[in-house]
Amino acid sequence: MGHQTALYQKHQQANAKLVDFGGWDMPINYGSQVEEHHKVRTDVGMFDVSHMTVVDVTGADAKEYLRYLLANDVARLQEHGKALYSGMLNETGGVVDDLIVYLMTDPDVTGEWFRVVVNCGTREKDIRWMADHTASFDNVALTERPELAMVAIQGPNAIAKVTSVVSESRGKLIQGLKPFQGLESEGWFFARTGYTGEDGLEVMVPEEYVADFWQALADAGVAPCGLGARDTLRLEAGMNLYGSEMDEKTSPLSANMGWTIAWEPAERDFVGRKALENQRSVGVKQKLVGLVLESRGVLRSHQKVMINGEEAGEITSGSFSPTLGCSVAMARVSTEIADTCHVDMRGKLVEVKVVKPSFVRNGEKVFS
């Protein structure tokens, strides 16, 4: 038996297929992964993501600590609740983890408070890495928040559905949220973020209330969705998965994460900066691209990408796209790749189209 979230009994009652995911017993689907995928793209679905790790970073040195720890710059957060996505790098420029950080106080408030959400599968090493780097700062504290469950409600009708089942005051707060902003309301935290390429919310709820919240959403017509649909949704949206698109040996410059690196101001040092500057000066040899297979077949991770008969990289994530009706993938390949290439599928070279690593956003195809 793995760890169980506060919604475990709800998953059992709904006849979910439960699998081990990073040491947690989590639902992979509740019947049809494809139907769950379509629900999110066309209406609304909800995911139990309580296995994610939430850490509050507080203290007078919290901002400077995070400015050093992360490749992106939390000084860019100039509004209460605003969030940013960043890699947390090692000294060689590899990705320890990718995460979201929220500014929990007004920017000019003394006594800073940030909330960081990291992956469940990397929890132990992340907490250790974060703790080790507090040594250089006099006033910073890390507080893990295991008492908070988390539900992601995603899809074009997500905000309306959540608003319909919460109090009027919380509903007003939700309606006023900007994309990539999260705010507290009486111990609950509502963030307009997600991992599907659709609008929606990620809601942190005290564990004792989350089962009732889940049930209220279900009664309002929100479909429970498993991690299988979450994976095909994030793949269509071109969102990285830790351990696939990036890891401790992969540079963000080779993982379509260059936009998350805050190079300015030049005087700001951060873990991995020198290594990334060296990589940038000599030029990276690989990049992350999208692949589209318009003929029959399914692209899978670790299949080899071929250019002119020579191996030029491999697929990092691949699957059938329920939205597009064909197979798509992300692949790390030579920067010299053209508009088409081939994938080795059981010894047969199959032609695929090369596009930017994003396929569907807000229910619409985004490549030509």
Side-chain angles (χ1 to χ4, degrees), residues 201-247:
L201 298 166
E202 292 178 310
V203 184
M204 299 179 196
V205 185
E207 282 190 332
E208 60 266 32
Y209 301 119
V210 72
D212 288 343
F213 179 53
W214 182 271
Q215 189 60 53
L217 289 166
D219 292 344
V222 181
C225 302
L227 297 181
R230 193 165 182 254
D231 190 54
T232 52
L233 288 160
R234 72 92 194 166
L235 174 59
E236 287 185 348
M239 294 179 170
N240 287 2
L241 174 66
Y242 191 82
S244 295
E245 279 65 55
M246 72 289 200
D247 55 28

Side-chain angles (χ1 to χ4, degrees), residues 33 35 56 83 87 108 113 127-128 155 158 208 216 241 249 254 279 351 364:
Q33 177 177 323
E35 288 181 9
D56 284 348
D108 56 352
W113 176 18
I127 297 296
R128 184 170 58 249
E208 60 266 32
L241 174 66
K249 296 181 179 180
S254 299
Q279 294 170 20
E351 185 173 272
E364 300 292 333

Side-chain angles (χ1 to χ4, degrees), residues 5-38:
T5 75
L7 290 169
Y8 182 77
Q9 288 188 337
K10 289 292 184 184
H11 304 322
Q12 286 185 311
Q13 292 166 6
N15 296 315
K17 181 181 179 180
L18 297 163
V19 299
D20 175 75
F21 186 82
W24 291 79
D25 294 335
M26 299 298 292
I28 192 72
N29 62 59
Y30 297 82
S32 170
Q33 177 177 323
V34 172
E35 288 181 9
E36 293 166 18
H37 180 108
H38 287 312

